[in-house]
């Protein structure tokens, strides 16, 4: 929610009325103004602030927010859910998020430990330390302290200080479908074309060993979804 010179986050909680009732409502928990300190941005103060990205930590105790006026004027706020008005930390790094049609490269990816998150090529620690990966368009955590980044035909791995730890060759025409940091799993698909038929080969990969745990082929027209909440399904 944003307006002239002010941007706020409203956190709501779903309340179910009755054990089996179909009725549902959202109760407001708190609202916090994120515009405090925005005068430090270099742009004109008449440009409205906006929230470009937002994500809860795995334990639900913190929220990472990208706030700014444009892709060239952004910063990161870490808010404590219990007291967001006072428990906040500003990190002076610009992830350059576009804020429209967010893809995998524009998402906040938390580590399973909840002590770091990756956003684009930047890895951010809750202690305020940041580092940048040497290459790739985006990155994501695949464990408590392991970062993966797509680079051409391979997937490169780094620690939380952006030091390279290994690579995994995947071939051509592949794309990340989803990631599970707590299970250290990657789901990718690769486009195959034989000259007559096209298909997608879907692979679930163990990020630790680099081995495919499951692999199957689907018609190209089938839409693929993320890891589901039952923690078993992939499509």
């Amino acid at each position: 929610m944003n307006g002239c010179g002010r941007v706020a986050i409203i956190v709501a909680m779903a309340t179910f009325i009755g054990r089996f009732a179909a009725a549902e409502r959202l109760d407001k928990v708190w609202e916090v103004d994120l515009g405090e300190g925005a005068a430090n941005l270099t742009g004109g103060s008449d440009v409205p602030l906006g929230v470009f990205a937002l994500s809860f930590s795995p334990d639900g105790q913190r929220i990472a927010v990208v706030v700014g006026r444009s892709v060239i004027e952004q910063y990161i706020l870490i808010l404590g859910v219990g007291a967001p008005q006072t428990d906040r930390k500003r990190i002076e790094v610009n992830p350059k998020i576009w804020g429209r049609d967010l893809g995998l490269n524009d998402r906040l990816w938390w580590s399973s430990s909840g002590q770091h998150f990756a956003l684009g090529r930047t890895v951010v620690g809750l202690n305020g330390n940041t580092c940048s990966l040497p290459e790739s368009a985006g990155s994501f955590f695949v464990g408590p302290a392991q970062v993966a980044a797509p680079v051409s035909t391979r997937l490169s791995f780094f620690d939380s200080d952006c030091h390279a730890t290994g690579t995994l060759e995947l071939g051509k025409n592949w794309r990340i479908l989803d990631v599970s940091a707590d299970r250290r799993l990657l789901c990718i698909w690769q486009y195959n074309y034989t000259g007559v038929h096209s298909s997608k080969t879907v692979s679930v990969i163990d990020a630790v060993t680099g081995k495919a745990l499951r692999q199957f082929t689907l018609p190209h027209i089938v839409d693929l979804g993320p890891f589901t909440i039952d923690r078993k399904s992939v499509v």
Side-chain angles (χ1 to χ4, degrees):
M1 167 176 159
N2 56 330
C4 293
R6 182 174 182 270
V7 60
I9 290 179
I10 298 176
V11 172
M13 176 178 64
T15 302
F16 294 90
I17 306 173
R19 187 174 179 181
F20 300 104
E24 179 183 344
R25 73 171 187 269
L26 290 176
D27 291 336
K28 180 177 176 180
V29 179
W30 48 253
E31 177 179 347
V32 60
D33 183 5
L34 303 181
E36 298 176 10
N40 295 332
L41 289 174
T42 58
S45 58
D46 57 331
V47 180
L49 287 170
V51 173
F52 287 78
L54 179 151
S55 180
F56 280 86
S57 61
D59 62 4
Q61 297 303 304
R62 300 200 174 276
I63 304 176
V65 192
V66 178
V67 183
R69 293 193 175 100
S70 69
V71 70
I72 61 173
E73 296 180 88
Q74 296 174 2
Y75 58 91
I76 295 174
L77 283 178
I78 308 296
L79 304 176
V81 172
Q85 293 82 2
T86 56
D87 184 6
R88 60 167 66 190
K89 177 180 291 187
R90 175 167 169 165
I91 300 176
E92 298 296 340
V93 60
N94 182 358
K96 298 183 179 180
I97 299 300
W98 285 101
R100 293 191 305 175
D101 302 322
L102 294 183
L104 293 180
N105 295 340
D106 295 325
R107 285 173 53 182
L108 283 158
W109 297 90
W110 284 89
S111 66
S112 57
S113 67
Q115 296 302 305
H116 299 81
F117 59 85
L119 181 56
R121 292 176 53 189
T122 304
V123 178
V124 181
L126 294 188
N127 58 5
N129 293 339
T130 65
C131 64
S132 297
L133 300 176
E135 53 186 342
S136 88
S139 60
F140 40 85
F141 271 90
V142 288
Q146 185 179 30
V147 185
V151 182
S152 185
T153 62
R154 71 184 187 276
L155 198 61
S156 296
F157 294 95
F158 304 84
D159 62 20
S160 56
D161 293 320
C162 297
H163 299 138
T165 60
T167 59
L168 176 64
E169 288 293 336
L170 295 173
K172 297 180 179 180
N173 302 322
W174 65 276
R175 183 178 300 176
I176 293 289
L177 178 61
D178 199 15
V179 179
S180 176
D182 59 336
R183 289 176 286 168
R184 302 189 181 189
L185 296 178
L186 303 165
C187 185
I188 71 168
W189 66 263
Q190 289 179 285
Y191 175 73
N192 308 302
Y193 181 64
T194 63
V196 179
H197 302 288
S198 61
S199 63
K200 294 176 180 176
T201 299
V202 181
S203 304
V204 178
I205 298 174
D206 186 324
V208 177
T209 65
K211 294 182 179 180
L213 304 179
R214 187 181 179 191
Q215 194 171 70
F216 50 92
T217 301
L218 298 172
H220 182 59
I221 59 173
V222 173
D223 290 328
L224 303 177
F227 287 105
T228 59
I229 198 168
D230 65 9
R231 302 174 61 85
K232 296 178 182 179
S233 302
V234 179
V235 296

